[in-house]
Every structure is written in C-alpha cells, then in structure tokens.
Amino acid sequence: MRIAVFAGDGIGPEVTAQAVRVLEALGLSGLELVEGDVGGAAYRKHGHPLPEQTLDIARASDAILFGAVGDFTLDHLERRLRPEQAVLGLRKELGLFANLRPAKVFAGLEDLSTLRPEVSAKIDLLIVRELTGDVYFGEKGTRTLEDGRRQGWDMMAYAEDEVRRIAHTGFKAAQGRSKKLCSVDKANVLETSQLWRDVVIEVAAEYPDVELTHMYVDNAAMQLVKNPGAFDVIVTGNLFGDILSDQASMCVGSIGLLASASLAEGSFGLYEPIHGSAPDIAGKGIANPMATILSAAMLLRHSLGLEEQAARIEAAVAAALADGVKGGDLGGSAGTKEIGDAVLAHL
Ligand code: NAD
Ligand code: IPM
Ligand code: MN
C-alpha cells in the first residue's frame, strides 16, 4: 500500500503532518508513504507546480493524500505555472472525475454551525461534484475587442458522457444512503445545464429506487441554509459544486472540518480537505487539521478498503471535538499539533 503525500503550500504542510501522524499511528503493515512537491513549493524548487517526478510518484501510488496549494505571491505567473494548476493537473491527468464532499453535523455539536442548532442538527448530505470538466477545463483566454476593450472568456461545456458517468456516481451514492438524489444546475439559463439535466433524467431510468429531483443552483444555495436537512445526495457540476461545498462546510461548522475524495474509475483517489492554503494563518500553527485527518480516513475507506480503520479515525475526531478540542476556526484556541495530539489520544 503506497500513499503519495503531497503537502503543498501555506497550511498544507501543517495539516498534512497531523494526518500522517494519524495514519502512522494505525500501525498498518506494508504501508509506505512517499512525499512529493506540488504547488508554489514545487514551482520554487523545480520551476513547475506539478513536476513530472511528482506525477510519477502519483502514478506509482494507490492513493494521494493532498494538503493544499495556493500562494498569492505567485499569482502574477502565467496560469499554467500557478500553484492551483497542481491540483487541477492531478485531477485531469489521473482522471479523478468524481469528487465526494460529505457534510454531516457531529452529533451533539450542532452549535458549531453558523445556523440555528435545530436547523444544523439534521445535516447529513453528500455533494457529488464533477471534477474534470465544466468551465474549469474549457478553452479560456483574454482578448481585445474591436473597440479596444479587454475581455476575459472561459468556455463552459459538458459532453454527455461526462454527465452520464458522474450521474451514475450520484445515483449509486444515493442507493447507499437515503435514496434521494438532487441534481443541481442552471438549466433555466445555460445550455450546458439543459444537457446536464436531460442526461441525468436518462440515467435515472436505471435507478428506479432513487427519487430524483432537480434544483437551480441559486435556489440550492438558499435551501442549503434554510433547510439543509432536506438534502441527501447532491450531484452537480464542477463550478457549482466548488461553491456549494464551501457553503456546506459552514453549515456543519467550519471549512476546517470538511474532507473530500476525488475518485477515478476503480479504487485510485486523491484525498484532500476542501479548504485551501489559508495564507492568512499559515505558519502560525493554528490551522485545524481535522479536515485533512478526515480525508485520510476517506482514503483508507475508498482506496485501501480499510473501513474499520477509517471509522476509528472518524470516531477519534468526533471524540476530540466532543471534549471541546477546537481550533480558532471553531471559536476555540487549540493549535494544529494539539488537535492532532487529541485525535491520536482517542485513537
Ligand atoms: P482558504 O480555504 O485557503 O481559506 C478561506 C478562509 O478559511 C481563510 O480565512 C482561512 O484562514 C480559513 N481556513 C481555511 N482552512 C482552514 C483550517 N484548516 N483551519 C482554520 N481556518 C481555515 O481559501 P482562500 O483564502 O480563498 O484561498 C487561499 C489559497 O488557497 C488560494 O491560493 C486558493 O487558490 C487556494 N485554494 C486551494 C485549494 C486546494 O488546494 N484544493 C482549495 C481552495 C483554495
Ligand atoms: C477546491 C479548490 C480548487 C477548485 C482550486 C484551488 C483550483 O477551490 O478544491 O475546492 O476550485 O476546485
Ligand atoms: Mn473550493
């Protein structure tokens, strides 16, 4: 079992170090961790945010544990050299089209949410976000119009096979949960979304046991704070999923709590917190590592088939929170290592 560990920039290395401690504490025999450079850190060392040797490490692994990339001091670079291209490149190169972002309130910790406890108490949803298409990966550029104005443009497009495979992921996920799937789009305005909706409806015929609904993304953003308990599985495109998952994190309590799995066909996956490199708190030892620790649990479950160990980690995180071990993002004062210590103690 070989896991590639790509810590990246900002708080990435800080939170990844705690997740690695947790993985090592499990004492799994035959587990090998191999580090690689990504993001701004890789650019500074190798002149590229996703060097060939990093891709080689990824391809020779069973799964990737990823921290975060992003460095504002490199935002002037041409886009292909910016830190974010590391995670975008890995997703595209490795066919990681299915992004699972679960958001569930921790029992007894409803008040971590920025919503009223009686609203947050019911949150147990899964966002299934398409990850290798949409406006993220379409042609893009800037041009000068005939009248001299500059224009930036990005092409939004989905081909039917891209929609079909993520729809299957959404329906299968719903079958394993409460059998409710909500497809989120903007079909009232966008052709991309109309095709998305048509294809999801076609795929639904293969899942008669799942109740399919459709919702426009603006309404979904509203319903997520009004009545998030009504959602079970949400399937949506790359851009809408990015935005709704940050929002869902605050419904649970903090972006420092939400883990994710980015899966290819088969068992290979990349696992990362949904947050970024948080430059405002980087280097201070105060980032919450729980999202990354929970991502490591998802890695054990989805890529290595180690459900029991995954559940142990999740229980240890919940127990640490229940003890009142909270980072600044949750209104507490526990530091990154202290939170790691608390999770390890429960493990
Ligand atoms: P961010 O997620 O890094 O931070 C948003 C806010 O949440 C900040 O106030 C930050 O301090 C806080 N925060 C995030 N994670 C936290 C944690 N674990 N504990 C405590 N507080 C936490 O988003 P941003 O500020 O918009 O972006 C910063 C950089 O990260 C940008 O360069 C962006 O492109 C990049 N980014 C990378 C990823 C990724 O690697 N997958 C994801 C999102 C953003
Ligand atoms: C995420 C991030 C990335 C995205 C960025 C860093 C490219 O926001 O993983 O949610 O937009 O997908
Ligand atoms: Mn995001």
Side-chain angles (χ1 to χ4, degrees), residues 101 129 242 246 274:
R101 297 191 159 184
R129 170 190 177 197
D242 179 43
D246 267 33
I274 76 156

Side-chain angles (χ1 to χ4, degrees), residues 84 87-88 91 101 129 136 238 242 272 274:
E84 289 83 352
V87 72
L88 294 171
R91 290 169 183 172
R101 297 191 159 184
R129 170 190 177 197
Y136 271 61
N238 205 343
D242 179 43
E272 59 171 333
I274 76 156

Side-chain angles (χ1 to χ4, degrees), residues 100 126 128 166-181 207 210 232-234:
L100 310 183
L126 172 69
V128 177
I166 195 69
H168 280 291
T169 307
F171 279 107
K172 285 185 185 132
Q175 280 183 326
R177 296 171 49 104
S178 320
K179 300 192 166 51
K180 288 199 301 179
L181 180 66
Y207 301 89
V210 176
D232 179 21
V233 181
I234 293 173

Side-chain angles (χ1 to χ4, degrees), residues 11 15 66-72 75 84 87 91 101 242 246 254-257 272-281 286-291 328-329:
I11 63 169
V15 293
F66 194 93
V69 288
D71 180 339
F72 293 131
D75 283 352
E84 289 83 352
V87 72
R91 290 169 183 172
R101 297 191 159 184
D242 179 43
D246 267 33
S254 162
I255 197 162
L257 292 176
E272 59 171 333
I274 76 156
H275 64 70
S277 56
D280 52 334
I281 58 167
I286 58 171
N288 187 350
M290 284 174 165
D329 56 320

